[in-house]
Amino acid sequence: MSQKIRTRFAPSPTGFLHIGGARTTLYNWLYARRHKGDFILRIEDTDEVRSTDDSVTAILDSVTWLGLNWDEGPKDGKTDTGPYSPYFQMQRVHIYRKYLDQLVDGGKAYRCYCTKEELDEMRRIAQLEKRPPKYDGRCRNLTPDQRKAQEAAGKKFSIRFKMPTEGATVVDDAIRGQVSFENVLQQDLVIWKTTDGPTYNFCCVIDDHLMEMTHVVRGDEHLSNTPSQIQIYYALGWQPPKFAHLSMILGPDGSKLSKRHGATSVLEYRDQGYLPHTMRNYLALLGWSTTESQQLFTDEDLISKFDLEGCQKSPATFDTVKLNWMNGEYIRQTPIDELIKLAMPFIEKAGLNVSSGPDLKRVIALEHEKFKLLSEIPRLIEFFYKPVEFDPKAFEKVLKAPGAKDVLLGLAEDLAQAPSWTEKPLEERIRAFVAAKALKNGQVFHPIRVAISGRTEGPTLFLMMEVMGKDMVLSRLKEAAAKI
Ligand code: GLU
């Protein structure tokens, strides 16, 4: 194909960017990057009641956090950049009006004077007759006189697009193949509202054409809009782009992914401590796969392998266990210095002061293998930086065990003489202490751990002691003994 590939993500700013929208963004981005094309962000804010500035900001923040840079589109919530500017639909109303007039003048769209009550009644009857609701076309063929009468009576009107009443519209979908829709079953869609503004289905066609989109990749909830959109392209004498409708995302219980299944907004995932790279990799596999079923991808790898043919028709299931596993993998692959940078906001939010005390780099390194989420880092390292808080069960079971107090006091005395405070010599010295007192390892190791960390689980013991430092360990052994 010689034409430059152009894809877009076109969110309606009526809420946060959720997982489905994030996946749509990613697939459009990957497709454009793979083909050295352009990826465009367009804000579809025609729903004046539900669109908010906050949603625009949240969506831009989310896409930015995901690392999916766009070539044209908003710079912030109000301004944009690119050869097809503006990219906010409500700044393009004059453009839509021009094409609206063209359709109305050409007899391809018409004024509909039906009131809300009349439309509700049509819906009610359809329900009674157990057929899908559909506008009955009563304003489609009004004579000029009939229209005049309606307007003389002060009736407001919307404008509907005249769908063909015969034949079928075939959506040639890159994922689903040829999907045929009988025209007679389609509605005459409202393309201009009674409140004098354009609707999504209309603007979307005009923009995708004028902005020269080659591919429209979006969620399958839009498949049913596509035949009408295609007919609008035809009515304007345009060629539709290639469509690709992505399968639905389900929660683990098999129902459509929703709040009930946990976090759905991208920013919640950020705040829980997932890495952007994890999200890119995970979302890529939520409905797409390679023939080798590869799981971990670098960005370059994803870009070079992603294709629409590998997208599945059947719904994808969101699996938090896999997501967490992947995040752990990527945290392990992150060099310590970078990990500290990523973890810092979480450490600060937890109110942990790491500017003094044990070396943060070494502390983080101790548990690097175990972190699954950035947000769990503060809890796992906090005892290095604030007074020990004893887990009550551990205190009862381990520190109150017979002899534990003597062990801690004896050790504090013995370790004070240790000439070297590194892992191996520490281990040897403590094992010698165990032997000299004819104790079992557990009778010594467990109390040390609880005394210096307050917990029964944590980093490997002797290395943890090394990193904590002699002074802190000795004083904690004595403090714990005093508390028993
Ligand atoms: N504005 C639509 C939405 O947020 C996008 C539709 C499209 O991609 O064509 O659902």
Side-chain angles (χ1 to χ4, degrees):
M1 204 186 290
S2 59
Q3 198 183 3
K4 190 172 195 193
I5 298 290
R6 288 175 58 82
T7 66
R8 82 318 188 261
F9 177 56
S12 303
T14 55
F16 298 115
L17 181 67
H18 49 81
I19 286 296
R23 182 189 60 170
T24 302
T25 317
L26 174 72
Y27 285 17
N28 277 288
W29 181 85
L30 285 172
Y31 197 73
R33 294 292 169 257
R34 165 147 194 205
H35 296 281
K36 309 246 176 307
D38 296 322
F39 170 60
I40 288 92
L41 202 61
R42 182 175 74 224
I43 303 296
E44 302 203 319
D45 50 357
T46 52
D47 184 340
E48 287 159 292
V49 181
R50 293 171 60 228
S51 298
T52 66
D53 292 346
D54 285 350
S55 300
V56 175
T57 309
I59 291 168
L60 299 182
D61 286 353
S62 302
V63 179
T64 304
W65 178 73
L66 286 168
L68 306 174
N69 60 318
W70 56 98
D71 304 300
E72 299 166 23
K75 283 198 285 195
D76 52 45
K78 294 263 177 288
T79 61
D80 55 33
T81 172
Y84 302 86
S85 173
Y87 295 87
F88 292 84
Q89 288 187 326
M90 286 313 275
Q91 296 175 24
R92 301 172 60 79
V93 175
H94 58 288
I95 303 175
Y96 309 130
R97 205 178 280 281
K98 185 178 123 198
Y99 292 101
L100 178 77
D101 292 346
Q102 192 178 317
L103 288 180
V104 174
D105 294 347
K108 291 172 176 166
Y110 60 92
R111 291 181 177 187
C112 169
Y113 301 94
C114 292
T115 60
K116 185 177 173 300
E117 290 69 34
E118 285 171 289
L119 296 170
D120 287 346
E121 181 63 10
M122 273 178 231
R123 219 166 288 136
R124 196 183 64 83
I125 294 173
Q127 249 166 12
L128 276 179
E129 294 175 359
K130 297 202 175 8
R131 54 179 172 79
K134 188 188 161 208
Y135 175 64
D136 68 7
R138 63 180 72 164
C139 295
R140 196 174 154 120
N141 297 310
L142 296 184
T143 63
D145 282 346
Q146 287 170 318
R147 273 209 298 278
K148 254 189 222 136
Q150 295 279 11
E151 271 154 50
K155 281 279 206 67
K156 288 208 165 116
F157 57 85
S158 62
I159 296 182
R160 289 184 184 268
F161 175 71
K162 258 190 201 171
M163 259 313 260
T165 48
E166 287 170 1
T169 306
V170 177
V171 181
D172 182 17
D173 193 279
I175 299 169
R176 283 151 206 279
Q178 310 253 316
V179 190
S180 181
F181 293 85
E182 268 190 73
N183 291 334
V184 69
L185 298 177
Q186 307 303 313
Q187 296 248 34
D188 281 353
L189 279 189
V190 172
I191 55 176
W192 209 269
K193 297 179 265 197
T194 38
T195 48
D196 196 22
T199 61
Y200 153 69
N201 276 293
F202 188 51
C203 302
C204 174
V205 169
I206 311 285
D207 288 346
D208 285 338
H209 175 76
L210 296 181
M211 295 180 177
E212 301 194 66
M213 297 303 156
T214 55
H215 292 73
V216 166
V217 181
R218 60 188 176 190
D220 70 356
E221 69 274 18
H222 290 293
L223 182 60
S224 59
N225 289 324
T226 310
S228 303
Q229 294 185 2
I230 289 180
Q231 289 299 337
I232 299 176
Y233 280 96
Y234 292 160
L236 289 165
W238 297 339
Q239 190 58 34
K242 182 86 185 167
F243 291 99
H245 287 95
L246 306 173
S247 67
M248 199 193 281
I249 304 175
L250 307 178
D253 61 356
S255 67
K256 190 171 189 295
L257 187 68
S258 73
K259 264 272 141 280
R260 285 183 301 121
H261 299 108
T264 50
S265 107
V266 168
L267 296 181
E268 282 177 84
Y269 284 89
R270 177 194 66 188
D271 296 344
Q272 286 179 14
Y274 291 92
L275 306 182
H277 185 203
T278 305
M279 298 310 285
R280 289 194 293 276
N281 190 153
Y282 182 77
L283 292 174
L285 293 175
L286 201 58
W288 169 78
S289 54
T290 59
T291 40
E292 302 82 39
S293 300
Q294 181 180 343
Q295 295 296 307
L296 297 174
F297 293 81
T298 62
D299 286 327
E300 294 70 39
D301 218 9
L302 272 183
I303 290 170
S304 68
K305 292 182 180 161
F306 181 80
D307 57 15
L308 294 171
E309 290 70 45
C311 292
Q312 70 199 40
K313 284 189 213 146
S314 53
T317 303
F318 194 85
D319 175 1
T320 312
V321 175
K322 178 168 165 184
L323 176 68
N324 290 349
W325 161 77
M326 200 176 271
N327 206 48
E329 283 293 316
Y330 284 126
I331 288 182
R332 274 191 284 288
Q333 289 181 21
T334 307
I336 293 282
D337 285 328
E338 205 181 307
L339 182 58
I340 288 179
K341 260 193 235 143
L342 292 168
M344 224 46 210
F346 294 88
I347 292 174
E348 277 163 13
K349 191 165 166 232
L352 206 57
N353 180 3
V354 292
S355 58
S356 58
D359 180 4
L360 182 61
K361 229 169 140 163
R362 299 205 63 202
V363 170
I364 295 271
L366 278 178
E367 297 275 64
H368 197 171
E369 297 291 310
K370 273 195 222 147
F371 303 133
K372 283 210 157 52
L373 294 171
L374 296 173
S375 58
E376 61 189 22
I377 294 181
R379 193 184 55 77
L380 289 171
I381 66 165
E382 65 187 2
F383 61 84
F384 284 94
Y385 299 99
K386 53 185 218 193
V388 178
E389 280 169 37
F390 293 103
D391 163 18
K393 273 199 206 129
F395 192 87
E396 275 308 307
K397 187 162 170 262
V398 180
L399 293 188
K400 287 223 167 142
K405 183 171 179 166
D406 289 341
V407 164
L408 295 181
L409 289 174
L411 260 175
E413 212 169 284
D414 182 81
L415 294 179
Q417 312 303 320
S420 144
W421 199 264
T422 51
E423 185 183 9
K424 284 286 160 251
L426 268 174
E427 177 171 0
E428 277 158 27
R429 198 169 175 108
I430 294 170
R431 286 188 189 279
F433 177 91
V434 170
K437 304 267 174 192
L439 294 166
K440 290 198 190 101
N441 283 342
Q443 290 173 294
V444 176
F445 297 176
H446 295 329
I448 303 179
R449 178 180 293 286
V450 176
I452 67 175
S453 72
R455 318 173 173 181
T456 49
E457 276 168 24
T460 163
L461 184 63
F462 308 110
L463 192 57
M464 166 162 88
M465 294 173 76
E466 175 186 327
V467 171
M468 201 173 260
K470 186 168 184 173
D471 291 348
M472 193 182 276
V473 170
L474 293 186
S475 63
R476 287 185 173 187
L477 292 178
K478 285 183 252 176
E479 279 161 26
K483 283 204 175 121
I484 294 172

